[in-house]
Amino acid sequence: MSTRAQIAIRIGPEQWAHIYCHFDGYPSHMLPALAPWTPEDILAAKEIRQVRADELDCFDPPREPPILPLPTRELCHLYVWQDGAWVELDPEAAQTEELPS
């Protein structure tokens, strides 16, 4: 069974690309695995089977990521780029706080 996740990246004032990740989306794996990757790397991947520190295992061909007005957790975990690092975001808690840029 896979732990699915999303990576939300701000691409406009009210536009967030949501990149799908199929395997190993739990924080103890994803946060270290995402560390070497930039938001641009993740956007270029479009749809990911698994994030690893040495490789993005991507679907071929990938589907375009959905664009939503806010970071939205539809799967188990949601990650965003904040202050130069990847963090797990709880969208409910973020509604009362400022969203990362």
Side-chain angles (χ1 to χ4, degrees), residues 21 24 28-38 41-42 48 50-57 86:
C21 182
D24 297 333
S28 63
H29 170 81
M30 279 292 278
L31 292 172
L34 279 169
W37 303 106
T38 67
D41 296 328
I42 302 299
I48 302 171
Q50 182 185 33
V51 175
R52 296 189 344 217
D54 64 339
E55 178 185 17
L56 295 173
D57 178 10
W86 295 103

Side-chain angles (χ1 to χ4, degrees), residues 68-95:
L68 302 174
L70 292 169
T72 305
R73 185 180 62 209
E74 296 173 339
L75 304 170
C76 295
H77 300 281
L78 175 65
Y79 301 94
V80 297
W81 182 259
Q82 183 174 356
D83 300 326
W86 295 103
V87 298
E88 184 176 17
L89 181 69
D90 176 0
E92 289 78 33
Q95 288 179 358

